[in-house]
Amino acid sequence: MDNEKDIEVVLIGLSEIYKDNTYKLVKDEFLVGRARDCDLRMDENTISGHHAKILKVQDHYEVEDLQSTNGTFLNGLRVAPRSRLRSGDKLKFDQYEFQFIDPSDVSRTLVAPRAALAEAQKTAVRPAPSPAPAIPLRAAPKTRAGSLAGGVLVAVLATLLIGLGGNVLLRQATIAGSGGALLDSAWDNTVNLAQSYPVMHQAHLWAEADLGRWQNIVSILLIIVSVILGGILVQSIGRRKKIVSAIAYSVIFVLAALLFQAAALRFRLQALPLFFSGLVQGLSPWPAFGLGVLYIFGVVLVLSLVGTLLVRKNPRTPSGGTPSLI
């Protein structure tokens, strides 16, 4: 009886950060997933909150998939919904592999062949049965990894369209509302805004912001919302670490905005606005320009990081589907 108490049923990690880690199955229901109440807690985005559980059923164990997004696999086959476990079986939660070890099950498998051998010695020799046809194993479905570069490109384009394009439309609507022609000055407004687009983040989000008119308030909101949406898009499409996504997006956005501005000024760099020249006294033009670029990068980084935090870690969508944004 004392030996049975010493028997420990465990999961041993075989892949990545879980390699060689041992997890004891000390409960009749051992929960695996990303939620805080899980016995084996996995922080990866591809693991569901409650991904799977291992249950003790009389004298053996079974694994049950809890309708996880990316699946639970036993020896290469998807668990649907529950399968019996044998000592030595390999379990995968998404692509993370573990080995199930039950010492009591090993002892049963060792005793069985000896009894079968003793029985065979009492009987006549019979021809060995033909081997059963091999059952092809289904490969575990690959998790959609996403593309950080694609996410950054889509996010930057969306930000420019909403931030810059939205402000152009707002100006045109204001002109039309005051009796002016809607399309006559559209190109001029587009060029004027393009020439100062990065500066808009400073002018609207810093001391120069004029909140006395509703048009300026809407303009500020367009810029803020466009950058937050950029963070949402790059995280949803890229599926990378949130901080990495926000930094990559912020760098490319600032470079794209400066390129857009330089193109509107016909690449006359000396004509680029010097962001902090009026706020930092005694600073020469190019250091002031560099400080302004860092300021805009900081604003975009903070706002886009807010956007990445709005993306749910493990959206429950069908394979290949678009993640939820809440």
Side-chain angles (χ1 to χ4, degrees):
M1 295 297 291
D2 292 337
N3 291 338
E4 292 183 3
K5 293 181 181 180
D6 294 337
I7 292 175
E8 291 183 341
V9 181
V10 297
L11 285 179
I12 300 176
L14 299 179
S15 57
E16 300 191 19
I17 62 174
Y18 304 99
K19 188 173 179 62
D20 297 329
N21 289 349
T22 300
Y23 305 90
K24 299 178 182 179
L25 277 64
V26 296
K27 299 166 63 176
D28 289 344
E29 287 194 4
F30 184 86
L31 196 57
V32 178
R34 194 164 35 82
R36 292 185 177 181
D37 61 339
C38 291
D39 302 292
L40 170 50
R41 188 175 176 191
M42 306 172 70
D43 291 330
E44 286 70 24
N45 291 346
T46 55
I47 298 296
S48 298
H50 288 157
H51 196 100
K53 65 180 176 181
I54 300 174
L55 307 98
K56 185 174 183 180
V57 181
Q58 296 179 353
D59 63 342
H60 66 278
Y61 285 81
E62 297 181 1
V63 59
E64 179 180 349
D65 183 76
L66 300 179
Q67 297 182 343
S68 62
T69 301
N70 294 318
T72 302
F73 302 87
L74 175 60
N75 298 326
L77 295 176
R78 188 158 190 161
V79 174
R82 185 187 289 192
S83 299
R84 178 169 179 169
L85 290 171
R86 295 286 188 183
S87 188
D89 282 347
K90 292 184 179 180
L91 276 172
K92 268 190 177 182
F93 309 108
D94 183 35
Q95 75 265 32
Y96 302 101
E97 190 171 40
F98 298 80
Q99 188 168 32
F100 172 77
I101 300 296
D102 180 359
S104 62
D105 188 44
V106 170
S107 65
R108 287 197 296 271
T109 56
L110 290 176
V111 171
R114 294 173 185 168
L117 179 60
E119 184 65 23
Q121 291 174 344
K122 298 177 183 179
T123 60
V125 177
R126 298 176 183 175
S130 58
I135 301 175
L137 298 179
R138 290 182 299 169
K142 293 183 179 179
T143 304
R144 186 173 69 88
S147 168
L148 181 59
V152 169
L153 178 61
V154 172
V156 168
L157 289 176
T159 306
L160 290 173
L161 286 175
I162 295 175
L164 178 60
N167 273 280
V168 171
L169 291 177
L170 179 63
R171 286 195 180 189
Q172 294 309 113
T174 304
I175 292 172
S178 60
L182 180 62
L183 298 179
D184 286 352
S185 59
W187 177 251
D188 291 336
N189 278 335
T190 302
V191 173
N192 288 337
L193 282 172
Q195 289 176 352
S196 62
Y197 184 63
V199 189
M200 292 168 63
H201 293 82
Q202 176 192 345
H204 286 162
L205 301 176
W206 196 246
E208 297 178 19
D210 179 10
L211 301 180
R213 302 175 59 196
W214 69 268
Q215 291 93 338
N216 290 335
I217 296 176
V218 174
S219 178
I220 293 172
L221 292 177
L222 279 172
I223 295 172
I224 293 175
V225 169
S226 68
V227 179
I228 291 176
L229 179 63
I232 291 175
L233 290 174
V234 72
Q235 173 67 10
S236 301
I237 299 173
R239 284 196 169 186
R240 295 297 192 275
K241 299 288 186 182
K242 296 182 183 298
I243 295 179
V244 173
S245 298
I247 291 176
Y249 162 75
S250 301
V251 170
I252 299 302
F253 170 77
V254 171
L255 293 177
L258 288 174
L259 180 62
F260 201 71
Q261 183 182 28
L265 292 168
R266 298 181 181 178
F267 295 97
R268 292 181 290 115
L269 298 181
Q270 66 273 16
L272 285 172
L274 302 177
F275 301 91
F276 273 34
S277 58
L279 297 177
V280 181
Q281 300 297 327
L283 198 61
S284 57
W286 285 111
F289 176 79
L291 186 60
V293 171
L294 289 177
Y295 170 80
I296 292 173
F297 170 80
V299 171
V300 174
L301 177 62
V302 170
L303 292 176
S304 61
L305 192 56
V306 170
T308 65
L309 294 175
L310 294 175
V311 181
R312 193 170 63 186
K313 273 190 174 183
N314 189 41
R316 290 178 174 269
T317 58
S319 178
T322 301
S324 301
L325 302 181
I326 59 173

